[in-house]
Amino acid sequence: MDYSRAICRTLHDDHMATVRVLENLETALTRIGRKAPPAPDDRDLPRLLVDVTAVLQGEISGHFAFEEEHLFPLIEEMGETPMLAILRDEHETIRPLAVRITDVVAASRESGFNPDSWAQLYDLGLDLAEREIFHIQKEEMGFLPLLDQIVEPDDDGALSMAFAEARSAG
Amino acid sequence: MIDPGPGNPAERRHAFPGSILMGAQGRLIPYHIPLRFFVSAAVFHVAAWLLLAVGYADIAGFAGGPGVVLAGLHALTLGVLVMTAMGASYQLLNVATGVATGVVPGRFDVSRLSSWLYIPGTGLLVLGMAIGNSHVMLLGGGLVAMAMAAFAVVVGDIFRRTKTLKTTVRHGWVALTCLVLLALAGLALITDFEHGFLGGAGLPDHSALATGHAILGGFGLMGMLVLGFSYILVPMFVLSPAPDERRSTASFGLVLAGLAIAVPAALAGSAPVMALATAIGLAGVGVHLSLMLKALREGMKKRLGLSFAMVKAGWFLLPLSIILGGLAAVGIGGDNAPTLFGFILIFGWLLTFLTGILQRILPFLASMHAHKLGKRAPRLSEMGHQGVTLKLHAICHGAALALVSVGIVTGMDPLILAGGLTGSLGAVAFLWFTLGVSKLVVTFYADEKLAKST
């Protein structure tokens, strides 16, 4: 994507990283399957789950909050409220999923996965990956191109700074 | 629905292909319009494979004429391919261009009218072909032609008003032109069954006009719509930048030139000119496919699922169909080469590609309707029992293509029968998927109506 505003490029990079990690999660979950937890000597999965929780913290907490606080009002001024209704609705659906996955992964660090906790992670992970990627799809193809047209060059730097702060706070 | 009008900033904001994803629920046409086309297409899909199975003994050396084979062919071309294109065009163009679908003189919705004419008209035409009754064929063909005229009015009106998506619109204009020629040629062929006027007074003979009719339908109407819509849909699904406009224009020019040369060459029965058209068409398709593959490489989304396995198979079969058409035109490949060309063009490229795209569009449409009603949409992959239906369809479809192709090449009719039955099973699975997603949408609205009444 060829965006002219720095804030759109930064958000796009964030999306790229999220899609990559969530597609890896989908691949790993479907490879292992739902029925039995992963083998204890599976070294790739713990590393992947570290990436997943990092993405969830950055993407879900910081990214969503930044959009809602700083970007949605810009779109709202244009009257594009149906678009925002979809994005807000999806944020509200994805947030609790992210929290639950983070909790399941945190619990697994202490005691590993049993069949129940693994099945829980499997269901939540696939649900989150599909919903978040579909959400990013909408933002990439609709929201960011629109934002790229309406953000003034003078505001671009300030928004990028605010995003960096939101990410570190998230 | 709001029509921002040309030049309005609201319309300019929808100048990117992906605007299809945003604000789309505000421009959704009534759910039952696209769904009636998609469900009908899924039913005709089953009918087409079954008719192919019933007529298995006459497929390999098929040379035209009324009967079960011609009925099966039109169950697929009109019943599935054009039916899907109509439903998808009404909804997608409305959303993607930001220009409302709505030729509504008084309270008369032309897109709805087209469905009332087209769905029964196609049924009658297929029935008339199957039983060899030219009066029933003419009645069905007349209804289909009127429906196509209504479709052309609605879609042409959108093309005329939109200032965006130029590549898609260019392809669309050519498709509509081919639609008019296709309908005229089709009605002439049906009339010729009864009156036998073709071949006299400087007119092409029945076989030459049938070849021209096939090229206009397969590469002209359907091919141009598929290529044009691909420039919107593929980048949207894989999350890639829009394809380079200069290269897509070059592809368009080459494909149009190939088509413009192929149709008169077919009518005149000129093999060397057909070979030239094949080469030009192949070059145009080569540029198009290079743009599509570039979109896949650059797309953010790499796990594209079963739907894109179908789409990629369709992309492989597209140039293959052109090559087979060229070989058949110059007399290489034996007596069954024209049949193989027709099968790979229609059941191969077009059907494979469209079922791949339709399995993405249907859940997406359901999701948009859920958003419109403020409901939480189920996951896309949960809709329509995809784990069973779409997998079964893909396996059966691939096996059926292989069996029938080998059957045509070798003249082994039992293989064609096996392929027809396997394809029918896959089509039933796809119908199950389509009904599952459609039922979901209907349930959204039924629940909404109930909630409002209580």
Side-chain angles (χ1 to χ4, degrees):
Chain A
M1 308 292 171
D2 193 16
Y3 297 116
S4 61
R5 298 288 176 259
I7 183 61
C8 295
R9 289 195 295 272
T10 311
L11 290 169
H12 169 71
D13 291 343
D14 222 31
H15 287 160
M16 291 272 280
T18 304
V19 169
R20 200 176 308 122
V21 169
L22 291 181
E23 285 202 335
N24 288 342
L25 177 65
E26 277 183 320
T27 305
L29 292 175
T30 46
R31 173 178 55 83
I32 297 166
R34 188 180 190 273
K35 286 180 184 164
D41 61 348
D42 187 333
R43 289 167 184 242
D44 295 335
L45 187 69
R47 274 199 292 269
L48 175 61
L49 293 179
V50 168
D51 291 345
V52 169
T53 45
V55 155
L56 294 182
Q57 295 240 312
E59 164 71 7
I60 310 305
S61 303
H63 191 115
F64 282 12
F66 170 76
E67 286 177 346
E68 288 168 5
E69 193 178 334
H70 295 275
L71 303 181
F72 287 4
L74 296 176
I75 308 287
E76 212 148 30
E77 283 173 17
M78 301 175 64
E80 281 283 1
T81 46
M83 178 196 290
L84 295 184
I86 294 181
L87 298 181
R88 281 205 177 97
D89 182 45
E90 289 182 345
H91 284 184
E92 292 312 311
T93 304
I94 292 166
R95 268 194 186 103
L97 281 174
V99 170
R100 288 173 67 194
I101 288 183
T102 307
D103 290 347
V104 173
V105 171
S108 76
R109 283 203 193 101
E110 290 166 15
S111 51
F113 286 108
N114 58 45
D116 287 343
S117 66
W118 173 250
Q120 204 182 359
L121 180 74
Y122 183 92
D123 293 341
L124 289 169
L126 288 183
D127 198 10
L128 176 102
E130 186 174 312
R131 288 183 188 280
E132 174 64 10
I133 291 172
F134 192 34
H135 176 71
I136 287 174
Q137 209 167 1
K138 288 173 186 148
E139 292 205 339
E140 280 289 327
M141 304 303 282
F143 177 64
L144 291 189
L146 178 55
L147 202 64
D148 205 47
Q149 292 177 23
I150 62 169
V151 168
E152 297 295 336
D154 293 346
D155 300 331
D156 194 21
L159 283 170
S160 296
M161 289 282 287
F163 182 63
E165 285 170 19
R167 284 298 304 259
S168 53
Chain B
M1 285 173 216
I2 299 161
D3 177 5
N8 182 308
E11 184 178 311
R12 285 202 303 275
R13 288 202 305 269
H14 298 294
F16 35 88
S19 59
I20 216 165
L21 286 161
M22 300 304 306
Q25 87 283 21
R27 289 185 296 278
L28 288 172
I29 61 175
Y31 72 92
H32 47 81
I33 294 180
L35 285 189
R36 72 181 67 177
F37 283 102
F38 295 151
V39 171
S40 301
V43 172
F44 275 108
H45 184 197
V46 179
W49 280 112
L50 280 176
L51 286 166
L52 188 145
V54 171
Y56 74 99
D58 300 322
I59 300 274
F62 179 64
V68 170
V69 179
L70 193 67
L73 181 65
H74 285 80
L76 195 76
T77 52
L78 294 175
V80 182
L81 305 179
V82 179
M83 189 83 74
T84 303
M86 287 172 84
S89 298
Y90 288 144
Q91 182 58 82
L92 287 177
L93 285 173
N94 190 43
V95 172
T97 61
V99 174
T101 301
V103 177
V104 186
R107 296 181 62 189
F108 209 57
D109 181 342
V110 177
S111 58
R112 200 171 306 204
L113 169 70
S114 71
S115 72
W116 296 338
L117 295 169
Y118 192 76
I119 298 167
T122 303
L124 278 174
L125 182 60
V126 169
L127 174 69
M129 287 173 168
I131 61 176
N133 184 319
S134 60
H135 297 295
V136 178
M137 270 190 261
L138 209 51
L139 176 62
L143 291 173
V144 165
M146 283 192 280
M148 284 178 161
F151 169 72
V153 166
V154 174
V155 172
D157 180 58
I158 296 177
F159 290 158
R160 184 180 58 79
R161 287 189 289 146
T162 188
K163 303 293 176 207
T164 63
L165 307 175
K166 286 178 186 162
T167 306
T168 302
V169 169
R170 264 184 223 124
H171 284 78
W173 280 123
V174 176
L176 290 187
T177 307
C178 291
L179 173 71
V180 174
L181 298 173
L182 175 75
L184 291 174
L187 290 174
L189 287 165
I190 293 172
T191 310
D192 189 59
F193 286 138
E194 186 74 15
H195 301 291
F197 69 98
L198 289 173
L203 292 171
D205 65 22
H206 192 101
S207 168
L209 187 59
T211 307
H213 175 75
I215 294 169
L216 282 169
F219 294 117
L221 171 61
M222 284 310 304
M224 280 293 182
L225 285 178
V226 163
L227 298 188
F229 275 126
S230 293
Y231 291 115
I232 304 175
L233 293 172
V234 171
M236 184 184 87
F237 289 138
V238 307
L239 275 171
S240 74
D244 178 73
E245 192 162 335
R246 277 187 315 159
R247 292 182 66 192
S248 60
T249 303
S251 165
F252 168 75
L254 287 165
V255 171
L256 176 58
L259 194 59
I261 294 170
V263 175
L267 297 181
S270 169
V273 183
M274 284 294 282
L276 174 68
T278 301
I280 295 172
L282 261 181
V285 161
V287 176
H288 173 80
L289 292 179
S290 73
L291 288 170
M292 295 296 108
L293 294 176
K294 186 167 184 275
L296 288 194
R297 279 197 307 277
E298 293 180 352
M300 290 165 68
K301 216 167 171 317
K302 302 298 179 196
R303 278 174 60 92
L304 296 167
L306 192 54
S307 67
F308 263 76
M310 303 290 285
V311 166
K312 287 177 192 171
W315 286 340
F316 169 75
L317 293 164
L318 164 59
L320 181 63
S321 70
I322 298 175
I323 292 168
L324 289 171
L327 292 176
V330 297
I332 299 173
D335 292 344
N336 296 350
T339 309
L340 184 65
F341 154 66
F343 180 73
I344 294 296
L345 167 64
I346 294 164
F347 284 79
W349 168 42
L350 289 169
L351 182 61
T352 309
F353 184 89
L354 279 189
T355 48
I357 290 291
L358 198 54
Q359 60 189 260
R360 294 297 287 254
I361 288 178
L362 267 170
F364 172 71
L365 190 62
S367 166
M368 286 293 115
H369 278 286
H371 279 302
K372 183 183 179 184
L373 297 173
K375 294 179 184 298
R376 183 179 165 178
R379 278 166 49 197
L380 301 185
S381 61
E382 285 174 347
M383 299 181 193
H385 317 285
Q386 291 174 37
V388 178
T389 55
L390 295 183
K391 280 182 186 163
L392 180 60
H393 166 255
I395 292 165
C396 291
H397 182 76
L401 287 184
L403 285 165
V404 176
S405 298
V406 174
I408 291 171
V409 171
T410 59
M412 292 173 70
D413 295 340
L415 287 181
I416 298 175
L417 173 63
L421 293 174
T422 310
S424 305
L425 178 62
V428 168
F430 200 84
L431 175 62
W432 181 11
F433 161 75
T434 306
L435 290 175
V437 180
S438 303
K439 186 182 165 198
L440 195 63
V441 179
V442 172
T443 307
F444 291 153
Y445 281 91
D447 290 349
E448 178 73 4
K449 197 174 172 185
L450 192 66
K452 277 185 181 169
S453 66
T454 52

